[in-house]
Amino acid sequence: MALQALQSSGVTFRKILSHFPEELSLAFVYGSGVYRQAGPSSDQKNAMLDFVFTVDDPFAWHSKNLKKNWRHYSFLKVLGPKMITSIQNNYGAGVYYNSLIMCDGRLIKYGVISTNILIEDLLNWNNLYIAGRLQKPVKIISMNEDVTLRSALDRNLKSAVTTAFLMLPESFSEEDLFIEIAGLSYSGDFRMVVGEDKTKVLNIVKPNIAHFRELYGSILQENPQVVYKSQQGRLEIDKSPEGQFTQLMTLPKSLQQQIHHIMDSPGKNRDVEETLFQVAHDPDCGDVVRLGLSAIVRPSSIRQSTKGIFTAGMKKSVIYSSLKLHKMWKGWLRKTS
């Protein structure tokens, strides 16, 4: 499985993990504190570490974590683990974040998501939130033997490749592909307008081509729809309507439904397959796919960010937003200097 190439035995990450309840189906860490990024996030040593913990039973996990790490939570902790679990599962993108936590001498943020909700997102792209994060290089610290979860992680990577193919020309470079993939979960994200450095995707990809190649190399080698010239770093794909229709039919369900919603004229009542057949013959097929992505990401990112004000608390939300805006400002100054 491609994700295994990015597993880490980093002592720093494992020491931090030891401060939390052990019942995790998956734990990973990501961001500029793990993989070097260009631009304003290039200071790896002092960068915040971003963790995601996947748990089978959020109620039981939060119950234990409230006892171990009461101070990590905002005012919502007084409502107890049942309410925290409800907020986690039923609002935003199904993730509960505790932000700006000092742990083992490092500033961290950690999100908690249920295994079932993550699997649904990986397979169907309901929110493309944590699924989108897992389309980029991450350091996996812990993963159990859940076959369904492992299969969904792999499916998510393959879906990212197929979606990117639909938005690329017939011939392109590895870097072009990885930039397209890294940008999938930012399509329509309102934070890319306010709060994030506009060159974020390039800054993620350019210093980490080798890590993206580790993640996607075997998938590209095994994909019958692409000629992958790994030595030259070039790829060629079938852009015929037949080839595009095949790709569209394998997209995650939520993306197919959004494309159908965008393209289905009122009163026609066509099924999804008919709509996708039409899109496959459309010269603007890639633009339609991009619109479908935005229709998933925009509301998801807004809901999750709004939820973050409550899960982090007002004070931490202001500090965190200020840090993001400062990073955005630094990126703008570099670009104009």
Side-chain angles (χ1 to χ4, degrees):
M1 181 178 162
L3 274 162
Q4 287 177 320
L6 298 181
Q7 287 186 344
S8 168
S9 58
V11 175
T12 301
F13 305 144
R14 292 188 180 278
K15 281 180 72 177
I16 289 172
L17 202 61
S18 71
H19 290 267
F20 297 93
E22 294 179 356
E23 295 81 1
L24 303 173
S25 57
L26 172 68
F28 66 89
V29 59
Y30 64 93
S32 58
V34 183
Y35 290 104
R36 187 173 64 85
Q37 292 185 15
S41 298
S42 57
D43 181 11
Q44 254 187 305
K45 186 178 178 182
N46 298 312
M48 183 165 62
L49 295 173
D50 299 278
F51 289 83
V52 170
F53 303 147
T54 304
V55 300
D56 291 342
D57 186 343
F59 174 79
W61 194 90
H62 283 296
S63 297
K64 292 180 180 179
N65 198 45
L66 280 163
K67 291 176 182 176
K68 292 188 76 168
N69 299 302
W70 174 261
R71 296 181 67 183
H72 290 186
Y73 291 81
S74 71
F75 67 93
L76 294 175
K77 61 193 169 192
V78 300
L79 302 177
K82 185 175 181 180
M83 182 58 72
I84 286 171
T85 300
S86 177
I87 291 167
Q88 174 184 309
N89 290 341
N90 300 319
Y91 299 94
V95 199
Y96 190 101
Y97 272 104
N98 285 327
S99 301
L100 299 177
I101 309 296
M102 284 304 298
C103 188
D104 252 25
R106 291 297 298 263
L107 188 64
I108 73 165
K109 173 181 80 175
Y110 64 93
V112 185
I113 185 170
S114 86
T115 307
N116 289 338
I117 288 176
L118 176 60
I119 288 171
E120 280 291 310
D121 197 28
L122 291 167
L123 294 176
N124 299 321
W125 290 6
N126 298 336
N127 298 298
L128 198 53
Y129 200 84
I130 301 301
R133 185 57 259 172
L134 284 161
Q135 291 163 359
K136 307 167 191 63
V138 302
K139 292 281 189 186
I140 293 178
I141 316 163
S142 169
M143 179 159 57
N144 68 14
E145 296 302 315
D146 187 330
V147 176
T148 305
L149 176 58
R150 286 172 177 258
S151 175
L153 288 164
D154 206 38
R155 179 74 252 161
N156 180 49
L157 297 180
K158 290 175 180 175
S159 295
V161 168
T162 302
T163 306
F165 282 172
L166 287 161
M167 298 187 291
L168 285 162
E170 190 172 355
S171 176
F172 49 90
S173 68
E174 275 183 323
E175 185 175 293
D176 293 333
L177 173 63
F178 299 149
I179 288 170
E180 204 66 68
I181 288 172
L184 294 178
S185 61
Y186 294 119
S187 299
D189 189 336
F190 85 101
R191 294 171 302 172
M192 297 302 286
V193 179
V194 177
E196 290 285 7
D197 178 15
K198 302 299 184 296
T199 58
K200 185 178 179 73
V201 173
L202 286 175
N203 292 342
I204 290 170
V205 173
K206 282 188 174 291
N208 294 298
I209 293 291
H211 294 301
F212 275 93
R213 196 178 289 131
E214 280 185 88
L215 194 55
Y216 289 101
S218 61
I219 290 173
L220 294 172
Q221 294 284 6
E222 295 165 9
N223 192 317
Q225 295 177 310
V226 63
V227 177
Y228 179 33
K229 302 172 184 176
S230 55
Q231 296 299 316
Q232 294 92 355
R234 300 290 305 178
L235 302 95
E236 294 175 7
I237 53 175
D238 178 9
K239 295 299 287 185
S240 69
E242 294 77 18
Q244 294 195 139
F245 180 61
T246 300
Q247 292 163 1
L248 286 162
M249 287 297 292
T250 63
L251 292 179
K253 185 171 69 175
S254 289
L255 182 52
Q256 288 183 337
Q257 289 172 340
Q258 290 295 344
I259 291 169
H260 176 64
H261 180 72
I262 290 164
M263 296 299 290
D264 191 34
S265 303
K268 285 199 171 182
N269 295 321
R270 294 178 299 183
D271 62 27
V272 173
E273 187 172 339
E274 287 178 288
T275 301
L276 296 180
F277 185 78
Q278 176 202 342
V279 173
H281 288 77
D282 192 323
D284 297 322
C285 174
D287 293 332
V288 175
V289 172
R290 204 177 298 280
L291 286 172
L293 285 167
S294 296
I296 295 170
V297 173
R298 185 179 296 109
S300 170
S301 66
I302 292 171
R303 289 194 304 266
Q304 185 63 37
S305 294
T306 304
K307 173 178 167 181
I309 296 171
F310 297 96
T311 61
M314 186 59 71
K315 182 180 177 182
K316 284 186 177 181
S317 294
V318 170
I319 295 170
Y320 187 69
S321 299
S322 298
L323 290 171
K324 287 286 187 182
L325 288 168
H326 178 63
K327 195 184 290 186
M328 179 183 174
W329 176 248
K330 280 172 68 177
W332 183 83
L333 286 177
R334 283 183 184 223
K335 194 174 179 181
T336 55
S337 61

